[in-house]
Amino acid sequence: MRVSVKLLIMLLLVTLGLLPSCKSSCNKPDPYDGEFGKRIEEDLTTTNILEDNYRNYYEIFVRSFNDSNMDLVGDLNGVTQKLDYIKDLGYNGIWLMPINPSSSYHKYDVNNYYDVDKSYGTLDDLKNLINECHKRNIKLIIDLVLNHSGKANPYFSKACSAYDKYLKGLTLTAEEEIYKDFYVFYPTAAHVPSNVTAYKAGAGYSFYYEGNFSDNMPEFNCDSLAVKEEFKNIMKFYLDLGIDGFRLDAVKYYYFNNNAKNIEFLRWLNTTVKEIKPDAYIVGECFDGYELISEYYDSGIDSHFNFATSVAYASQSGVINGTNPEGRGITSYYNSLVSNYNIGNGQGIPAPFIDNHDMPRYTYQSNVEKNKFTFGLLAMMNGTLFSYYGDEVGLYGTNKGNNNVDQNVRIPIKWGDFSNLDCSVIDGVTSMQYPYATVKEQLEDANSILNYYKKVLLLRNQNPEIARGSIELIAKDNKDNKMLFISKTYNNSKIGIIFNFSEYENLNIDY
Ligand code: CA
Ligand code: CA
């Protein structure tokens, strides 16, 4: 079978399209010569998007994204208005943070799983968004928060009332029999395990409920058959509406400190979803290191976020974000490429990302090129890539140090279009910093961060080998500060990727 070979030049500190040369005495492959003969970045017009689950996902905090009705709150119709923008960037998947009715601004405490929060719109708006996504070959997944509900969810009041009657030895109705086990309850404080956080159920009640995240997030009892039945109904409700899959919140917490039971529960959840929609895509939030994330792939869930590539783990791994301006870190990046490819021992799809709504944005406030470089490194990794909204324009925010609230990493994008309320604020934000130009301005600037994202995502879409191919090291310079040359092979097609880690456009590679 013919093997097609192509050469992709990934240039990181500068622009696309610069080919390094090998000294005449060099014994290593010369990128100008031999099997890697064709430079593929010269064609930036065609796409070759495969319709599988190796996609580029764009994470949206709806509240801060785009407001369609001028009430200072982003909404689902606002997302629909920006679908062409998202598609033009090169994304073919969207993950919406929670959209259900909730008592909080972030909506990770769901009070009704079968509706859309009024401030975000209606179920009809959601159906319209799904249809408009599908017209553009964009898959839409939603956050599914199944470890806990909001305290104001009617499930919780019914459960407290039923459990109270049960403790008092009273006769329960059939419905109460179901609800008494809906949440993780402890009869007294003495029953609460030492590593679990629990709260008293409230006035008139003597018992406690588990709430490891907050007192407003009582945790479901995943052993209850009635709870599983309800979860199935919720998932079916959204799959029937046309939702393409789920991002599962806090999968390590279903059974607190019990990974084996969590994996077993995820296996049930995956089977349940795939019986309804075989090509659904599910990604889990197992906020942990490489080893445990790999174990969670045994559940059959398609992907688990690779936290080892994120800002949160950068100081340990030096993987992407830890690469310094002098370019050192090639070896750690290469190791990361390989470990990301191997995550889950070949089961499922890797899910690399840099940042999300729970961690500082990776944005460097005064270095456009480093913003580009970092994203370029991410975009050459295998798997389904996840980006956080606003990173493409260098939106800045940290939830560490002096400005330690999560709202600061969830601030609105500035579209630069005065018809849109782009300066709306979210409750509790203490810092809104915009080190770079608006979307409108960056779209018009060929050298902007945004246009670099577009170029890199186009390369990723044009060349399925990048997300799917097996990795081979061809050359790496010994000084670990300039050049990395790898190949990726998928379906008998091989591409070469050269990473220029230096700050120079033309490299005389000495390796
Ligand atoms: Ca609105
Ligand atoms: Ca739990």
Side-chain angles (χ1 to χ4, degrees):
M1 202 172 291
R2 198 177 74 86
V3 175
S4 74
V5 289
K6 298 177 282 188
L7 176 63
L8 172 61
I9 310 291
M10 208 32 228
L11 43 148
L12 296 156
L13 286 169
V14 249
T15 53
L16 285 167
L18 297 155
L19 205 56
S21 64
C22 193
K23 287 180 178 172
S24 55
S25 60
C26 178
N27 294 322
K28 301 282 170 46
D30 181 345
Y32 280 122
D33 234 8
E35 60 174 347
F36 295 104
K38 185 183 161 205
R39 290 170 54 165
I40 57 176
E41 88 285 4
E42 287 167 353
D43 179 4
L44 293 175
T45 55
T46 61
T47 61
N48 181 27
I49 297 179
L50 301 187
E51 296 299 324
D52 59 14
N53 276 328
Y54 286 74
R55 286 177 178 254
N56 306 325
Y57 269 87
Y58 188 81
E59 177 190 358
I60 295 177
F61 179 42
V62 177
R63 174 75 176 79
S64 285
F65 191 62
N66 186 42
D67 178 20
S68 71
N69 60 352
M70 311 292 262
D71 66 354
L72 288 172
V73 180
D75 44 55
L76 294 179
N77 288 335
V79 175
T80 305
Q81 288 174 350
K82 294 296 180 186
L83 288 181
D84 287 333
Y85 166 76
I86 294 166
K87 186 181 169 68
D88 287 348
L89 281 172
Y91 293 97
N92 54 355
I94 292 174
W95 152 28
L96 297 181
M97 286 166 62
I99 56 173
N100 303 122
S102 164
S103 309
S104 67
Y105 83 90
H106 53 68
K107 311 206 185 301
Y108 277 97
D109 43 349
V110 175
N111 291 334
N112 178 359
Y113 285 90
Y114 298 95
D115 203 355
V116 168
D117 193 278
K118 277 198 202 68
S119 63
Y120 283 6
T122 64
L123 278 174
D124 281 339
D125 295 340
L126 179 62
K127 286 182 203 163
N128 183 49
L129 173 57
I130 293 167
N131 288 336
E132 292 300 318
C133 282
H134 291 172
K135 280 183 197 167
R136 294 165 176 81
N137 285 326
I138 294 172
K139 289 207 173 186
L140 184 67
I141 67 171
I142 57 170
D143 228 304
L144 194 58
V145 189
L146 297 182
N147 174 61
H148 51 264
S149 71
K151 207 173 167 185
N153 194 311
Y155 298 149
F156 188 64
S157 49
K158 286 182 189 174
C160 284
S161 162
Y163 189 69
D164 186 54
K165 279 181 76 174
Y166 162 77
L167 282 182
K168 288 172 176 162
L170 301 171
T171 305
L172 273 62
T173 65
E175 192 189 66
E176 286 166 342
E177 282 292 344
I178 289 171
Y179 279 106
K180 84 174 189 335
D181 293 324
F182 232 62
Y183 289 82
V184 181
F185 288 129
Y186 301 102
T188 69
H191 289 83
V192 178
S194 60
N195 56 358
V196 161
T197 306
Y199 298 90
K200 206 163 182 183
Y205 296 136
S206 61
F207 55 91
Y208 289 73
Y209 63 90
E210 189 160 326
N212 291 299
F213 286 98
S214 95
D215 65 342
N216 198 39
M217 295 178 173
E219 302 200 14
F220 286 114
N221 171 17
C222 296
D223 279 334
S224 157
L225 293 179
V227 165
K228 284 167 106 169
E229 190 62 28
E230 193 64 22
F231 286 177
K232 181 181 175 179
N233 291 339
I234 292 164
M235 295 187 293
K236 186 170 188 318
F237 178 77
Y238 286 103
L239 295 169
D240 288 349
L241 276 185
I243 288 291
D244 297 295
F246 303 104
R247 177 266 185 189
L248 302 176
D249 186 57
V251 302
K252 254 170 52 179
Y253 288 80
Y254 294 142
Y255 295 90
F256 196 53
N257 287 322
N258 191 332
N259 293 315
K261 286 203 79 172
N262 288 331
I263 291 166
E264 183 192 326
F265 182 73
L266 286 167
R267 191 173 293 125
W268 167 80
L269 204 150
N270 185 58
T271 305
T272 304
V273 168
K274 302 295 168 67
E275 278 173 7
I276 300 167
K277 192 176 237 179
D279 65 344
Y281 175 71
I282 307 175
V283 55
E285 183 207 17
C286 175
F287 201 146
D288 212 290
Y290 178 85
E291 296 298 331
L292 190 65
I293 293 168
S294 279
E295 275 182 42
Y296 270 66
Y297 272 91
D298 289 344
S299 64
I301 295 289
D302 300 276
S303 294
H304 295 271
F305 293 119
N306 183 355
F307 280 87
T309 64
S310 72
V311 178
Y313 279 76
S315 57
Q316 297 166 35
S317 61
V319 175
I320 293 180
N321 214 261
T323 309
N324 72 21
E326 287 73 42
R328 288 183 174 75
I330 292 176
T331 299
S332 66
Y333 176 64
Y334 175 71
N335 291 341
S336 175
L337 271 175
V338 173
S339 67
N340 177 69
Y341 176 69
N342 289 327
I343 200 166
N345 307 312
Q347 306 175 80
I349 304 172
F353 71 105
I354 310 175
D355 54 17
N356 68 21
H357 61 281
D358 283 329
M359 53 186 68
R361 286 187 184 268
Y362 84 85
T363 301
Y364 302 92
Q365 286 178 282
S366 55
N367 192 332
V368 172
E369 302 305 332
K370 205 170 168 189
N371 285 303
K372 296 176 183 174
F373 177 84
T374 304
F375 183 70
L377 292 177
L378 175 74
M380 292 302 107
M381 296 192 119
N382 287 69
T384 294
L385 171 152
F386 281 83
S387 294
Y388 188 36
Y389 82 95
D391 280 356
E392 74 275 18
V393 286
L395 206 56
Y396 181 78
T398 178
N399 56 356
K400 303 278 184 246
N402 293 333
N403 299 316
N404 62 345
V405 299
D406 287 337
Q407 288 89 323
N408 292 342
V409 299
R410 302 168 184 175
I411 65 173
I413 281 193
K414 281 194 173 181
W415 295 102
D417 172 356
F418 290 105
S419 67
N420 194 271
L421 296 171
D422 56 8
C423 289
S424 61
V425 293
I426 55 173
D427 316 325
V429 71
T430 62
S431 172
M432 291 209 294
Q433 295 180 54
Y434 294 90
Y436 298 106
T438 63
V439 170
K440 189 165 186 277
E441 290 164 303
Q442 292 204 33
L443 280 168
E444 290 160 1
D445 173 5
N447 293 318
S448 66
I449 301 170
L450 188 154
N451 275 312
Y452 182 86
Y453 266 63
K454 274 177 86 161
K455 214 178 261 187
V456 168
L457 289 170
L458 179 59
L459 286 176
R460 189 174 172 88
N461 288 333
Q462 282 180 328
N463 301 283
E465 300 87 349
I466 296 172
R468 301 164 186 80
S470 57
I471 301 167
E472 187 189 354
L473 177 65
I474 297 174
K476 182 160 72 69
D477 75 88
N478 297 326
K479 293 179 185 133
D480 201 31
N481 63 1
K482 287 180 185 162
M483 189 278 298
L484 172 66
F485 186 3
I486 64 165
S487 71
K488 290 201 185 188
T489 306
Y490 174 70
N491 271 355
N492 294 308
S493 175
K494 190 176 199 174
I495 63 167
I497 307 175
I498 295 176
F499 299 80
N500 177 355
F501 277 66
S502 83
E503 55 193 302
Y504 305 106
E505 294 192 3
N506 292 301
L507 279 182
N508 271 323
I509 298 169
D510 181 15
Y511 60 87

